[in-house]
């Protein structure tokens, strides 16, 4: 009901937008395009498309229409489009976008299946447009769309590569949209980014920014698809220092739906920090794999202790504890490290067997290497470490290439 009212309201406006070019305009375009046999004349309202707003969505059905209404108001007089990039939301967010786009071609939907990730969704949206300037903003109305026009005017001169909408300078604030814990977490994350990566921006975690598309075209192969921190990744991955502008805004509370930021997003963020800090020598996936591996050691030792106190003989206790650690590592890697390639149902079980078999080979390889090492250089800890590195490397490579291959 609401949707139909809304579409009717937009109709007179759309008719005006669809006025085709007259024949002299078409000829002029043909003449300019001298050497190509077929020339394409874009519809009038798309000529000079200046700004694309990329909005990642996951279960944001109720926010789509209010957001589009707000964009229409905020971007009056600007040639814009909005691209919703949806990760196959269970609430069919994408259907709402498609309903709108039938009557307004400035609205587009990209539906991604079997994939999750805010950063990857934004990247895909940005790479899909030909607008020279791209804004990224959340769908949930927490970002202040009335800032977009000023951000665009800051970009227009061509001297600014990136404008960050910040909650942490000038009149900006995050108190309305975040509870105390999220505020403290956000401050800590920013502190780490500033210290480790020396980024200068006051809000490197912002999900609200505007950027030159060609910059992303260039950086795309380096950018991580996972996690929330696309802005930090862009700043940290650029080989040249960027000219960054800032504008403050008040982060609004979320009204419909809920936040998707969970523990795995925090871990992915730590992974990204380490990856960028190591100048991409270590990938975020490796960091997660390593953290899961460490948790496996804890699981193994606590289980072993528990079983030994319960009176099990050492060999039996060790075998059961190791089995526990393998299952726990597999499950965590499936949920976190390889979240984007997650195995489900029967594949979950076959994957677990594959993982266990490959890890056993890793143990053999590690034992072989450490024995060889020990025979050359009888330092127990050095030989043990060499074996562990080989075993872990083997596990990581076979996990990436076999168990969770693309
Ligand atoms: N396509 C897609 N895939 N979209 C996603 C995914 C995903 O896996 N996860 C979240 N989103 C979308 C949401 O639907 C929403 O439009 C936007 O990304 C932001 O997600 P929220 O879950 O609302 O994030 P938040 O409000 O908790 O976090 C905010 O603050 C962070 C910094 O502290 C956001 O502005 C983040 O971008 C920001 O990094
Ligand atoms: Mn939000």
């Amino acid at each position: 009901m609401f949707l139909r009212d809304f579409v009717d309201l937009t109709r007179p406006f759309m008719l005006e937008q669809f006025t085709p070019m007259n024949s002299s305009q078409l000829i002029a375009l043909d003449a300019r395009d001298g050497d190509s046999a077929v020339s394409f004349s874009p519809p009038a309202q798309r000529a000079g498309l200046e700004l694309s707003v990329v909005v990642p969505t996951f279960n944001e059905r109720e926010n789509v229409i209010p957001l589009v209404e707000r964009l229409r108001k905020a971007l009056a007089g600007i040639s814009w489009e909005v691209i919703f990039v949806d990760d196959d939301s269970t609430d069919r967010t994408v259907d709402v976008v498609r309903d709108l786009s039938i009557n307004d071609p400035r609205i587009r939907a990209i539906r991604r299946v079997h994939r999750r990730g805010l950063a990857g969704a934004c990247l895909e949206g940005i790479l899909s447009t030909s607008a020279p300037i791209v804004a990224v903003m959340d769908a949930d109305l927490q970002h202040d769309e009335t800032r977009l026009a000023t951000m665009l005017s800051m970009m227009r001169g061509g001297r600014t590569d990136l404008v960050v909408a910040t909650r942490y300078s000038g009149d900006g604030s995050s108190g309305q949209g975040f509870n105390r814990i999220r505020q403290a977490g956000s401050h800590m994350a920013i502190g780490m980014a500033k210290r480790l990566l020396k980024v200068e921006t006051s809000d490197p975690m912002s999900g609200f920014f505007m950027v030159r598309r060609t910059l992303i075209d260039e950086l795309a192969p380096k950018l991580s698809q996972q996690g929330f921190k696309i802005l930090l990744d862009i700043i940290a991955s650029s080989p040249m220092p960027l000219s960054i502008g800032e504008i403050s805004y008040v982060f609004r509370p979320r009204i419909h739906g809920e936040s998707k930021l969970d523990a795995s997003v925090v871990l992915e963020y730590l992974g990204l920090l380490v990856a960028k800090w190591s100048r991409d020598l270590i990938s975020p996936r490796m960091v997660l794999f390593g953290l899961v591996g460490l948790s496996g050691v804890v699981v193994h030792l606590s289980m072993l202790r528990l079983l030994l106190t319960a009176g099990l003989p050492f060999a039996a206790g060790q075998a059961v504890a190791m089995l526990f650690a393998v299952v726990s590592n597999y499950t965590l890697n499936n949920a976190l490290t390889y979240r984007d390639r997650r195995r489900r149902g029967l594949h979950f079980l076959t994957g677990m067997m594959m993982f266990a078999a490959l890890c056993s080979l890793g143990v053999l390889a590690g034992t072989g290497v450490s024995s060889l090492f020990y025979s050359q250089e009888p330092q127990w800890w050095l030989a043990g470490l060499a074996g562990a590195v080989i075993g872990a490397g083997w596990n990581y490579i076979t996990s990436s290439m076999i168990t969770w291959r693309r």
Side-chain angles (χ1 to χ4, degrees):
M1 183 58 202
F2 177 41
L3 185 63
R4 185 157 345 113
D5 290 349
F6 177 71
V7 168
D8 282 342
L9 261 177
T10 65
R11 196 155 291 152
F13 173 69
M14 290 315 304
L15 278 177
E16 186 191 290
Q17 296 272 311
F18 269 116
T19 315
M21 287 180 175
N22 63 36
S23 52
S24 64
Q25 276 173 304
L26 292 179
I27 291 165
L29 273 174
D30 279 342
R32 253 192 318 177
D33 216 18
D35 51 5
S36 78
V38 185
S39 74
F40 170 69
S41 327
Q45 96 283 3
R46 303 272 300 192
L49 172 68
E50 188 177 22
L51 174 70
S52 184
V53 183
V54 171
V55 182
T57 56
F58 190 69
N59 291 339
E60 302 288 358
R61 191 183 175 87
E62 287 170 287
N63 290 315
V64 171
I65 292 175
L67 178 65
V68 169
E69 271 180 284
R70 285 170 186 223
L71 288 177
R72 283 191 170 125
K73 247 188 242 148
L75 298 175
I78 293 166
S79 175
W80 61 278
E81 66 174 2
V82 58
I83 304 171
F84 289 87
V85 190
D86 186 64
D87 281 355
D88 215 15
S89 297
T90 46
D91 73 355
R92 309 285 319 172
T93 301
V94 78
D95 288 348
V96 183
V97 181
R98 286 185 179 150
D99 277 348
L100 291 176
S101 76
I102 289 173
N103 291 291
D104 187 343
R106 295 176 302 183
I107 301 168
R108 288 170 48 202
I110 296 178
R111 175 185 167 206
R112 310 198 309 162
V113 290
H114 301 310
R115 276 188 287 168
R116 269 301 301 277
L118 175 51
C122 294
L123 196 60
E124 216 150 310
I126 297 173
L127 296 180
S128 81
T129 182
S130 36
I133 299 172
V134 185
V136 169
M137 76 186 289
D138 293 352
D140 56 9
L141 314 175
Q142 292 195 271
H143 292 162
D144 183 356
E145 72 292 334
T146 63
R147 294 294 200 227
L148 286 167
T150 317
M151 289 161 82
L152 182 63
S153 61
M154 290 165 79
M155 293 290 296
R156 268 185 184 141
R159 264 190 255 133
T160 310
D161 301 309
L162 178 70
V163 175
V164 178
T166 171
R167 296 161 290 192
Y168 301 115
S169 83
D171 304 333
S173 80
S174 67
Q176 289 183 23
F178 276 161
N179 60 29
R180 271 168 200 276
I181 299 178
R182 274 289 307 259
Q183 273 196 68
S186 188
H187 280 295
M188 212 161 82
I190 291 172
M192 280 162 70
K194 284 190 166 169
R195 190 157 305 171
L196 277 178
L197 305 181
K198 313 259 180 298
V199 292
E200 293 298 331
T201 329
S202 63
D203 194 356
M205 330 308 299
S206 178
F208 188 22
F209 58 91
M210 205 177 268
V211 65
R212 217 164 283 297
R213 199 201 72 241
T214 47
L215 174 68
I216 307 297
D217 268 333
E218 208 176 294
L219 296 181
K222 287 195 201 167
L223 299 177
S224 159
Q225 304 265 332
Q226 266 160 298
F228 270 40
K229 306 309 165 205
I230 180 165
L231 175 63
L232 178 67
D233 201 6
I234 292 170
I235 300 175
S237 301
S238 170
M240 275 163 311
L242 299 174
S243 137
I244 304 177
E246 280 197 354
I247 181 169
S248 62
Y249 80 102
V250 177
F251 189 63
R252 303 187 193 118
R254 191 191 247 276
I255 299 166
H256 307 290
E258 53 196 36
S259 167
K260 280 91 201 172
L261 190 139
D262 53 19
S264 66
V265 170
V266 176
L267 284 175
E268 277 162 2
Y269 172 67
L270 291 178
L272 182 71
L273 273 188
V274 174
K276 291 299 153 195
W277 174 74
S278 74
R279 299 191 183 267
D280 289 321
L281 228 67
I282 306 170
S283 72
R285 225 191 267 285
M286 273 186 218
V287 177
L288 290 186
F289 196 83
L291 286 175
V292 170
L294 284 182
S295 80
V297 175
V298 176
V299 168
H300 182 174
L301 293 182
S302 358
M303 204 59 206
L304 183 60
R305 191 192 154 131
L306 206 80
L307 294 172
L308 292 182
T309 2
L312 232 69
F314 183 82
Q318 168 72 358
V320 174
M322 253 162 83
L323 208 68
F324 252 86
V326 168
V327 171
S328 151
N329 278 11
Y330 173 76
T331 312
L332 286 175
N333 276 324
N334 196 50
L336 296 171
T337 320
Y338 299 96
R339 193 184 193 202
D340 53 328
R341 310 181 193 171
R342 193 176 291 176
R343 301 180 71 111
R344 295 165 205 272
L346 193 63
H347 290 286
F348 178 84
L349 292 177
T350 53
M352 187 175 327
M353 284 182 244
M354 221 185 282
F355 182 78
L358 290 166
C359 287
S360 318
L361 287 181
V363 169
L364 282 184
T367 318
V369 167
S370 51
S371 311
L372 196 73
F373 205 99
Y374 193 72
S375 66
Q376 304 292 319
E377 179 75 51
Q379 285 271 14
W380 68 268
W381 61 270
L382 212 61
L385 197 68
V389 168
I390 294 293
W394 166 273
N395 288 349
Y396 177 69
I397 290 167
T398 55
S399 290
S400 291
M401 295 181 62
I402 302 175
T403 313
W404 286 281
R405 73 178 171 276
R406 268 188 210 281

